[in-house]
Amino acid sequence: MPTWNHINLQNSNNPMMEQLIFFHDHTMMILIIITLFVSYMLVLSILNKNTNMELMENQMIETVWTVTPMLILIFITIPSLRILYLMEEVNNPLVSIKSMGHQWYWSYEYSDFFNVNFDSFMLNYDDSLVRLLEVDNRMIVPMNAGVRMLTSSSDVIHSWTIPSLGVKMDSIPGRVNQSIFNSSRPGIYVGQCSEICGANHSFMPIVMESVNIFTFMNWVKMNS
């Protein structure tokens, strides 16, 4: 869970988020190298007093500064496309959950089970240990199992997001978006609506609790 001084990415809770963190570090490394090189050339050009007024063209330099950015973009594009395709694969999920965004709360429906649906409202600060990040009904998922997440909205555009899972989906009225994720470890993972949806946009948190399969089945029986 992030704290007030947390400026980095959250710790990953599944392989997909690990891949996203690796890609972030990979891209930042390339950007830092480019920034240092450009800064070095700028300083060198400012301090250099030599000039060549008759220099009109240099085919070698033009070739280098055309081919080099192309190669850099290839090094960035290949892992990016790989992650995009992995994120879109939905292969035999164990559970399907539909989240519906409202102004300003979330409702959940476990379509694989009979009559398992509930609304999730943010708790008041007096009732919660974590300000703006606790709800009355958490979304319960089984650990180490594929979960297909479907999301839509009943009014305006929302965005269902849990950063530690690498999941961010727009909840659009009249349309159902889907993604798949799994949770590698038990615990409580939080997110918030990531689309400005009105006055109480910051008061509709998302709380997911990852439990073992036996605890999950007992919870389903209790709520059926």
Side-chain angles (χ1 to χ4, degrees):
M1 181 180 297
T3 58
W4 65 271
N5 62 347
H6 192 170
I7 61 175
N8 205 347
L9 298 173
Q10 293 185 21
N11 294 331
S12 62
N13 186 38
N14 59 11
M16 186 56 60
M17 187 58 188
E18 290 179 0
Q19 293 295 319
L20 288 172
I21 293 175
F22 290 154
F23 176 68
H24 171 268
D25 296 340
H26 168 75
T27 307
M28 288 302 298
M29 179 185 67
I30 294 176
L31 292 177
I32 290 173
I33 292 173
I34 293 174
T35 302
L36 292 176
F37 176 75
V38 172
S39 301
Y40 170 75
M41 294 304 295
L42 282 173
V43 173
L44 198 64
S45 299
I46 292 172
L47 299 179
N48 188 3
K49 298 181 180 180
N50 299 324
T51 58
N52 190 342
M53 301 296 294
E54 297 181 357
L55 180 64
M56 300 298 294
E57 63 176 351
N58 190 313
Q59 294 294 333
M60 180 58 67
I61 292 178
E62 292 182 3
T63 301
V64 169
W65 72 36
T66 301
V67 173
T68 303
M70 180 185 69
L71 295 175
I72 293 173
L73 290 176
I74 290 174
F75 282 121
I76 295 176
T77 302
I78 291 176
S80 174
L81 290 175
R82 175 178 173 272
I83 293 175
L84 285 175
Y85 277 102
L86 289 175
M87 293 177 68
E88 294 298 325
E89 288 185 358
V90 180
N91 295 323
N92 300 321
L94 181 66
V95 182
S96 294
I97 305 173
K98 182 179 179 180
S99 68
M100 184 70 70
H102 306 270
Q103 289 181 318
W104 288 270
Y105 65 96
W106 295 95
S107 60
Y108 297 97
E109 176 185 338
Y110 289 68
S111 55
D112 298 321
F113 307 97
F114 179 71
N115 201 29
V116 180
N117 56 79
F118 54 88
D119 297 330
S120 181
F121 289 88
M122 185 188 73
L123 291 178
N124 294 326
Y125 182 63
D126 295 337
D127 302 325
S128 172
L129 296 177
V130 184
R131 181 176 178 269
L132 302 181
L133 289 178
E134 186 57 271
V135 295
D136 54 356
N137 293 309
R138 297 170 178 169
M139 186 184 78
I140 309 297
V141 300
M143 180 180 64
N144 289 326
V147 178
R148 181 174 64 173
M149 198 70 203
L150 307 171
T151 184
S152 186
S153 173
S154 63
D155 35 54
V156 299
I157 298 177
H158 301 276
S159 184
W160 198 89
T161 307
I162 297 184
S164 59
L165 298 177
V167 177
K168 183 180 185 297
M169 297 184 294
D170 286 338
S171 304
I172 302 174
R175 175 176 175 177
V176 178
N177 289 332
Q178 75 169 358
S179 182
I180 191 168
F181 65 86
N182 69 312
S183 177
S184 301
R185 295 181 296 275
I188 299 172
Y189 303 92
V190 299
Q192 290 177 299
C193 177
S194 299
E195 188 75 32
I196 298 177
C197 56
N200 291 334
H201 157 68
S202 58
F203 298 98
M204 49 183 304
I206 301 161
V207 181
M208 185 201 78
E209 185 173 352
S210 175
V211 298
N212 62 59
I213 188 65
F214 302 106
T215 304
F216 174 74
M217 293 308 299
N218 290 331
W219 176 83
V220 169
K221 291 177 182 178
M222 291 176 58
N223 289 273
S224 295

